Amino acid sequence: MTLSLLKVGVLISGRGSNLKALLDYQSKNRCHFEVSVVLSDKAEAAGLKYAEERGIPTVVVSRRPKSLTSEAFNAELVESLKPFAPELIVLAGFMRIIGANFLEAFSGNVVNIHPSLLPLFPGADGQAQAVAAKVLESGCTVHYVVPEVDAGPTIAQCRVPVLPEDTVDTLSARILQQEHQVLPAVVEAIAQGAVTQGQDGGVIFADSVKDTPLGKFL
Ligand code: GRF
């Protein structure tokens, strides 16, 4: 019997190590998803190479002209993704704000990975904020996306210690290791139907989630 794979669109802006983690997971496991397209808002995003190496289609949609409204830019993103029919969108270091029209087009099936324990330290520099605040622990959060930045319902979090001698770089590296584990686990759990979003936007975990790779993170 052939397995029907959930088509995933991954949006990046730079390095793409989380994209690589998803693609490595896909090639090493009998998983229930496949990355069907990778979109970047920057043609020079290093991470695009991971898709190209594997023959996965890539699309670049840059926000030009700068006068383009956020709504029009989001509409362009939707149009560019449509031919690849992604059923789940993963924001993996995508540095643009996702609008309500984008979320509607994908029925809210959009997740983001953020390098802090949300609701602490939202925004572009989650790791730097954690170091500056001298907290004892930080981590990463995978959450459903809502129009407010880094504010949607949490699917999973991973914790790491923040050491007194940590710099932004050492903490970022420690968090990133966890990101690379938990993001594929969340995508796989969604692909297996073990994580869904309720009518009210809340996260629903089926009992079967404990048998998915996400089980060990919950
Ligand atoms: C990650 O730290 C992710 O949490 C944040 O942006 C960074 C992207 O890194 N949203 P990479 O491009 O996946 O290497």
Side-chain angles (χ1 to χ4, degrees):
M1 203 174 74
T2 31
L3 194 70
S4 140
L5 303 176
L6 185 85
K7 285 192 164 72
V8 177
V10 183
L11 274 53
I12 64 169
S13 292
R15 182 178 57 184
S17 69
N18 278 290
L19 164 66
K20 180 177 184 297
L22 284 169
L23 296 173
D24 287 349
Y25 185 90
Q26 185 183 310
S27 48
K28 288 185 191 140
N29 297 275
R30 190 169 176 273
C31 67
H32 294 66
F33 69 87
E34 66 178 348
V35 176
S36 64
V37 59
V38 174
L39 181 149
S40 173
D41 61 321
K42 294 199 167 63
E44 68 277 16
L48 286 170
K49 69 170 181 280
Y50 298 122
E52 286 156 5
E53 280 164 11
R54 292 164 169 86
I56 294 168
T58 59
V59 185
V60 174
V61 183
S62 45
R63 189 162 173 192
R64 302 250 185 324
K66 290 244 184 308
S67 57
L68 195 70
T69 64
S70 171
E71 196 179 348
F73 176 66
N74 273 268
E76 248 185 64
L77 295 177
V78 171
E79 283 311 304
S80 312
L81 290 166
K82 253 189 200 164
F84 307 97
E87 298 156 284
L88 174 71
I89 301 293
V90 176
L91 307 181
F94 188 61
M95 302 304 285
R96 297 283 176 184
I97 292 178
I98 289 297
N101 54 334
F102 184 98
L103 297 175
E104 229 166 79
F106 294 103
S107 313
N109 291 318
V110 183
V111 299
N112 178 46
I113 181 144
H114 182 77
S116 79
L117 297 174
L118 291 172
L120 287 178
F121 313 136
D125 53 357
Q127 304 96 328
Q129 292 182 59
V131 170
K134 300 190 189 309
V135 286
L136 295 177
E137 65 170 10
S138 190
C140 60
T141 304
V142 183
H143 63 93
Y144 279 113
V145 174
V146 294
E148 298 73 44
V149 175
D150 299 330
T154 293
I155 302 170
Q157 290 189 314
C158 288
R159 293 168 185 277
V160 302
V162 181
L163 307 176
E165 64 272 25
D166 264 335
T167 62
V168 175
D169 285 349
T170 58
L171 177 61
S172 299
R174 193 175 307 121
I175 293 174
L176 198 61
Q177 278 185 352
Q178 297 301 314
E179 294 186 38
H180 295 165
Q181 304 299 314
V182 73
L183 183 62
V186 167
V187 173
E188 175 61 13
I190 292 174
Q192 289 189 26
V195 172
T196 49
Q197 222 181 351
Q199 296 286 357
D200 63 352
V203 184
I204 300 174
F205 296 97
D207 285 346
S208 59
V209 75
K210 61 180 186 317
D211 305 320
T212 74
L214 187 58
K216 67 170 191 258
F217 293 98
L218 300 177

